[in-house]
Amino acid sequence: MESLQLLLDGFGSALTPVNLLYALVGVTLGTLVGVLPGIGPAMTVALLLPITFTVPPASAFIMFAGIYYGGMYGGSTTSILLNTPGESSSMITALEGNKMARRGRAAQALATAAIGSFVAGTIATALLVFAAPAVVSFAISFGPEDYFALAILAFTAVSSVLSRSVVRGLASLGLGLMIGLVGIDQQTGQARLTLGIAQLLDGIDVVIVAVGLFAVGEALYVASRLRHAPPEVVPVGRAWMGRADWGRSWRPWLRGTALGFPFGALPGGGAEIPTFLSYAAEKRLARGVAREEYGKGAIEGVAGPEAANNASAAGTLVPLLTLGLPTSATAAIMLAAFQQYGLQPGPQLFDHNPALVWGMIASLFIGNTMLLVLNLPLAPVWAKLLRIPRPYLYAGIVLFAALGVYALNASAVDLVVLYLLGVLGFAMRRFGLPVAPAVIGMILGPMAEIQLRRALAIGAGDVSVLVRSPIAVVLLVLSALALLTPLFRMLLARRTGGPPLPVSRED
């Protein structure tokens, strides 16, 4: 009951005219970036990080949450109409969605994706209301060794599960940890990796890192592979569903929600695996006409994965808000935004800033409704956005990235660092290194270092202090399992003769 009362208070904050405007801006931007291939919510939130210097925290996070949810919605439009997922988590939707569109059923495919996203997002957000306080009450007992083990779990899970190979994931993580070391050591006062540049003594701002690796790196990568031919977009009218479509969609919506939420809450779970599992489950459960349509455009193959996709987005917020543990690239950027405000997600956030947390959670219900209203009647409008010339689009991204970073400190050094990181982001994409582990390593690395030093200080230098807590032991065991997961996946694929499960590419 206490959670419901706090949620009602959150609605009081989220329903103010200013916050409703920020929610509308967020969901609109999120849908836009979800529709456009290669521009995800992580890049968009990274570009908007400079607003944390002027916008109140509650309004900023309501907008960021809207962008996150909107990106999940918008990715289905590109998958269905263009057969090019705007988000990595929409890859499975393209399998049946584009075939439905080519059979003249684009309206039905877009409708089941939008309504399924609304149903899953609403149910998953309700689960978040009850799950978050339970996790907070458990996290209060964490000590320094537990938080260090939690950081190790985040590093290993994101590096191994969210990348094509463990080696590449750990290499990306190492780059992020190295960037996080730049600046003055808070305990010894020694300068580290500053190259004698005074502007780097305070470290590299997380805004510069996020914008450089995500926005500038992606723009350079797309420019290197630019195609001048306009994309072929399947025409679509207003999204709608018949009675038979409703009957075939509601069960996949519920099953997809049940798969997506717990996977989103797991470190390294992401949205890709539950969408794949939802598609496989719906294909196995298909009977009659549905079984015959699989591979030709079955509506169940769109409804289930889209529900799993959006439910996982709400699940991702559970470890982020309660433990300060990002399990996706967008969550990592949102963690950086919390740090810009001097806030640290975790148990204390719920005690010290309840209006912020519950206002953000309440805004998810509001944003979900806004997204349904935006996506059903405006599907033809979103389809036209796919015709924007890529050179103009990405040139604008680079321009706004530079303006935002320069506005931080009015420093030319920041711009040089931005473009150096942009080149690094391009090289990482070119050679298959995921970007998410680097950003998470840069953000969580300093925290892990501080907690490790505290734990060793408490144990008088005895390393065994790191495994004296049962919670730390469990987290370290999970870390080892995360490193072994790709190996198990590969062995399973070889035994079954099929392709390995998809991995996240939310870069």
Side-chain angles (χ1 to χ4, degrees):
M1 294 299 295
E2 183 182 357
S3 297
L4 292 178
Q5 182 59 49
L6 290 169
L7 180 62
L8 290 176
D9 295 339
F11 273 109
S13 172
L15 288 173
T16 60
V18 172
N19 285 341
L20 281 175
L21 178 61
Y22 276 106
L24 180 61
V25 171
V27 297
T28 305
L29 279 175
T31 305
L32 170 64
V33 301
V35 167
L36 295 171
I39 306 177
M43 179 197 293
T44 308
V45 176
L47 280 171
L48 292 175
L49 277 180
I51 72 169
T52 56
F53 290 95
T54 56
V55 176
S59 300
F61 285 109
I62 284 174
M63 183 173 68
F64 292 159
I67 292 171
Y68 193 17
Y69 263 33
M72 300 296 106
Y73 268 74
S76 62
T77 302
T78 314
S79 299
I80 292 168
L81 301 182
L82 199 61
N83 200 26
T84 304
E87 274 294 295
S88 59
S89 51
S90 299
M91 292 185 296
I92 304 300
T93 304
L95 295 178
E96 300 295 331
N98 187 251
K99 291 183 175 64
M100 285 184 67
R102 295 189 180 281
R103 288 172 51 200
R105 286 174 52 79
Q108 289 80 4
L110 289 169
T112 194
I115 298 172
S117 297
F118 171 77
V119 171
T122 302
I123 295 174
T125 305
L127 293 174
L128 169 63
V129 171
F130 297 100
V135 176
V136 166
S137 62
F138 168 70
I140 291 175
S141 61
F142 276 31
E145 66 278 6
D146 301 318
Y147 275 107
F148 174 71
L150 187 65
I152 295 298
L153 176 59
F155 294 154
T156 54
V158 172
S159 300
S160 60
V161 181
L162 301 188
S163 57
R164 291 180 177 177
S165 74
V166 176
V167 174
R168 290 179 178 181
L170 292 176
S172 175
L173 174 66
L175 289 172
L177 292 173
M178 183 175 67
I179 295 172
L181 289 175
V182 175
I184 295 178
D185 183 349
Q186 297 300 317
Q187 291 195 359
T188 65
Q190 296 293 317
R192 301 186 297 191
L193 304 179
T194 58
L195 304 177
I197 301 174
Q199 288 86 344
L200 296 181
L201 290 175
D202 290 331
I204 301 176
D205 197 294
V206 67
V207 175
I208 302 174
V209 177
V211 173
L213 291 180
F214 278 102
V216 180
E218 180 69 19
L220 293 176
Y221 182 72
V222 171
S224 70
R225 295 168 172 258
L226 197 60
R227 294 180 179 179
H228 296 284
E232 179 186 353
V233 183
V234 178
V236 59
R238 183 172 179 174
W240 65 278
M241 292 172 62
R243 185 173 180 179
D245 296 322
W246 279 94
R248 293 175 59 180
S249 294
W250 70 270
R251 290 184 184 87
W253 291 338
L254 297 179
R255 286 191 288 261
T257 303
L259 283 171
F261 183 79
F263 266 95
L266 291 173
E272 289 73 20
I273 293 176
T275 54
F276 176 86
L277 293 177
S278 174
Y279 179 81
E282 297 306 325
K283 187 174 183 180
R284 184 178 295 273
L285 294 171
R287 298 289 184 271
V289 176
R291 178 177 287 275
E292 295 175 3
E293 287 187 354
Y294 259 90
K296 302 175 185 177
I299 196 169
E300 294 86 350
V302 179
E306 274 303 302
N309 178 13
N310 283 267
S312 70
T316 298
L317 296 177
V318 175
L320 173 65
L321 295 176
T322 59
L323 301 173
L325 181 68
T327 59
S328 69
T330 308
I333 305 302
M334 292 179 71
L335 176 59
F338 276 107
Q339 294 179 350
Q340 289 295 108
Y341 283 112
L343 302 172
Q344 179 58 48
Q348 293 184 347
L349 185 67
F350 281 75
D351 292 335
H352 298 163
N353 301 91
L356 169 63
V357 176
W358 290 102
M360 176 181 172
I361 294 175
S363 75
L364 297 177
F365 289 101
I366 299 169
N368 239 350
T369 306
M370 289 180 174
L371 282 165
L372 186 65
V373 174
L374 282 173
N375 278 268
L376 284 179
L378 298 181
V381 177
W382 300 126
K384 291 180 181 179
L385 291 174
L386 296 171
R387 302 184 186 276
I388 296 176
R390 298 294 176 82
Y392 301 153
L393 184 63
Y394 285 93
I397 288 174
V398 173
L399 173 63
F400 283 111
L403 289 176
V405 166
Y406 187 75
L408 295 178
N409 302 304
S411 170
V413 174
D414 287 348
L415 288 178
V416 173
V417 173
L418 171 72
Y419 288 117
L420 288 176
L421 290 171
V423 172
L424 176 63
F426 164 75
M428 293 173 70
R429 289 169 171 81
R430 172 64 181 82
F431 295 105
L433 270 67
V435 177
V439 176
I440 291 177
M442 184 268 174
I443 295 172
L444 290 185
M447 183 273 286
E449 180 187 14
I450 291 173
Q451 298 298 342
L452 173 62
R453 287 180 167 182
R454 286 177 180 172
L456 292 176
I458 292 172
D462 186 359
V463 180
S464 65
V465 71
L466 300 178
V467 291
R468 289 178 186 173
S469 165
I471 297 174
V473 171
V474 171
L475 293 174
L476 292 174
V477 170
L478 290 175
S479 302
L481 291 176
L483 287 175
L484 295 175
T485 295
L487 177 60
F488 292 151
R489 188 182 295 171
M490 187 181 303
L491 293 175
L492 179 62
R494 288 180 179 177
R495 179 170 295 182
T496 59
L501 293 175
V503 295
S504 173
R505 297 288 296 166
E506 195 192 349
D507 297 345

